[in-house]
Amino acid sequence: MRVLVVGSGGREHALAWRLRQSPQLTDLWVAGGNAGTAQVATNLSVNPEDVDAVVTAAQAHRIDLVVVGPEVPLANGLVDKLAAAGIPAFGPTRAAAQIEASKGFARSIMQEAGVPGPDYHVFHDQQSALDFVRKNSSPVVVKADGLAAGKGVAMCHNPEEASVAVKSCMNDRLFGNAGETIVIEEMLSGPEVSVFAFCDGEQVSTPIAACDYKRIGDGDQGPNTGGMGSFTPPNFWTESLAKEIVDRVMRPTAEVMASRGTPYQGILYAGVMLTEDGPRVLEFNCRFGDPETQVILPLLRSDPIAVMLACAQGRLDKVPVEWRDQAHVGVVMTSGGYPEAYETDFEIHGLALEQENTQVFHAGTRLLTDGGVSRVATSGGRVLTVTGWGDSLDDARARAYRRVESISFEGAYYRKDIGTPRSVPEGEVWSPGQAAQTS
Ligand code: AMP
Ligand code: GLY
């Protein structure tokens, strides 16, 4: 199998690394890529968001399966164009990717499927949105409807904050066209978990769960980032919770997508909050999470090519998806100053010092060649995800941090608290047992 991965981040390095281990693989390319993907595949200088260029590259290299990492090419119809060219791809079509690309669309699917979520209202004009928030004193979350690189969500504790958020979307167009329509939701609270299941348009696999960290600072302080680390399994994750989420979220969603004529094929990612009233879906994404992928893909026991092809061909019933039972912790190392301005092109030292039960996934890195000598240097905000694994989260965390401490570059920053169990306030969080008692 000749496989092409699309994307340039830590998620795509993890995809390429896991695909490289498949017994079916003959050749592997990455559209985009970084210095890490270059170690396991051939990087092509193709912009992952340039859908036509990716299709041309896939044809030129006679690709048998394209694996799409990020949401933008999916929302722009990459999978549809590959299908028209006769090339199977892992990922949803443009219509099915609306589950991430339009929050209003996602909420309407959820409503039809009976998937529990916050109360919400969709607004297409500013005046109605402002009238709504001024009359509503409870905390709300204001969201740009479209793709905004994870930045289009404002937590508003009073009508004044909500009015500012509405205006920045609809009047100041802070998120461009993505904020022409907005969704205003009830603000919920509880621990969050990212849940992933493979889907083939009809069937849904056994899910896997991980937690990520969005804030830059220890203890979840400071501005939001693309993700500072992740761990699996979440300390509150149980088999009955997994079953509950498949039965109440994943399967009904897949059924409604299929009944609307836009079957969902690929990885379905539900961002779930465990509230005192039960699990509530905050969002769906149409792709793997970053940095969750760097801790969950090492757990995929099944052949990744077989699973991904089965998703693309509607044959998931023939290919069991099995996950190993092991703890993984992924620590993101960033350039100093991220998520604000930062410098790049600093050499990264210590990458070759391998340690047992660890793997370094590259994100913003590139090879600098000088006088015939190549060195790996920083080229982005999030530079590496360092993953460690073991029998317990403590073991996995200790290994990840030991490896982190052996890697250095000027200005390197990382959080020190990744993989410490999430606090779950007693009595406040729903558990499957509680649901059984009350229903
Ligand atoms: P989203 O992009 O919709 O997942 O939102 C990003 C983050 O905002 C989530 O991970 C939550 O931490 C928070 N969030 C989104 N929606 C809500 C909500 N209805 N209530 C509370 N927090 C939310
Ligand atoms: N880890 C959050 C995301 O990938 O959207």
Side-chain angles (χ1 to χ4, degrees), residues 11-341:
R11 165 182 53 208
E12 287 76 24
H13 185 195
L15 283 163
W17 170 85
R18 186 65 190 86
L19 286 160
R20 169 52 71 192
Q21 298 161 4
S22 167
Q24 296 192 57
L25 188 87
T26 48
D27 279 300
L28 186 61
W29 286 268
V30 179
N34 54 44
T37 61
Q39 294 165 356
V40 292
T42 305
N43 286 348
L44 302 173
S45 62
V46 170
N47 175 358
E49 296 188 3
D50 185 341
V51 167
D52 292 318
V54 174
V55 176
T56 303
Q59 286 171 317
H61 292 91
R62 293 177 287 111
I63 296 298
D64 301 306
L65 174 67
V66 176
V67 177
V68 189
E71 64 277 15
V72 170
L74 293 166
N76 288 343
L78 175 57
V79 170
D80 312 59
K81 287 205 170 170
L82 288 165
I87 303 171
F90 176 73
T93 59
R94 172 190 224 129
Q98 287 298 300
I99 201 154
E100 173 166 2
S102 165
K103 291 185 189 288
F105 175 87
R107 288 282 173 236
S108 85
I109 292 281
M110 285 174 55
Q111 194 161 46
E112 189 177 336
V115 171
D119 287 341
Y120 73 97
H121 299 268
V122 178
F123 295 96
H124 303 284
D125 76 282
Q126 177 170 260
Q127 198 50 52
S128 333
L130 289 174
D131 290 346
F132 174 81
V133 297
R134 281 174 188 146
K135 279 194 237 121
N136 189 336
S137 59
S138 42
V140 293
V141 184
V142 176
K143 300 182 172 183
D145 180 74
L147 293 179
K151 299 191 181 75
V153 174
M155 312 288 279
C156 307
H157 298 88
N158 52 53
E160 290 71 39
E161 285 177 12
S163 304
V164 170
V166 168
K167 286 182 198 155
S168 38
C169 281
M170 300 187 102
N171 191 58
D172 309 341
R173 298 180 58 83
L174 203 58
F175 310 109
N177 294 343
E180 267 176 7
T181 296
I182 62 171
V183 180
I184 301 182
E185 296 177 358
E186 161 196 22
M187 190 188 291
L188 302 173
S189 62
E192 285 184 59
V193 57
S194 306
V195 186
F196 302 88
F198 289 97
C199 297
D200 71 353
E202 197 177 317
Q203 296 161 91
V204 172
S205 78
T206 310
I208 182 106
C211 292
D212 72 344
Y213 296 79
K214 295 194 169 70
R215 303 294 188 106
I216 187 76
D218 287 6
D220 294 327
Q221 301 299 309
N224 270 327
T225 69
M228 293 301 294
S230 52
F231 69 92
T232 184
N235 46 301
F236 47 79
W237 189 245
T238 59
E239 243 175 65
S240 51
L241 182 53
K243 182 175 181 317
E244 190 78 17
I245 287 176
V246 168
D247 291 346
R248 292 180 67 190
V249 175
M250 300 301 204
R251 203 169 291 125
T253 299
E255 279 168 14
V256 167
M257 295 290 286
S259 75
R260 287 194 182 189
T262 53
Y264 190 91
Q265 295 179 307
I267 193 94
L268 183 60
Y269 164 174
V272 179
M273 187 171 263
L274 302 179
T275 73
E276 48 184 341
D277 301 319
R280 295 281 180 272
V281 173
L282 298 184
E283 64 166 347
F284 280 113
N285 294 316
C286 64
R287 50 169 174 87
F288 279 108
D290 190 342
E292 291 96 325
T293 308
Q294 295 90 307
V295 297
I296 62 169
L297 269 191
L299 289 173
L300 180 64
R301 197 199 299 274
S302 316
D303 173 13
I305 293 185
V307 170
M308 292 179 184
L309 207 55
C311 289
Q313 297 174 338
R315 291 188 295 106
L316 209 46
D317 53 331
K318 306 281 188 309
V319 183
V321 174
E322 288 173 13
W323 302 100
R324 288 187 299 121
D325 187 13
Q326 200 177 36
H328 281 65
V329 171
V331 180
V332 172
M333 298 181 75
T334 72
S335 296
Y338 173 83
E340 315 298 338

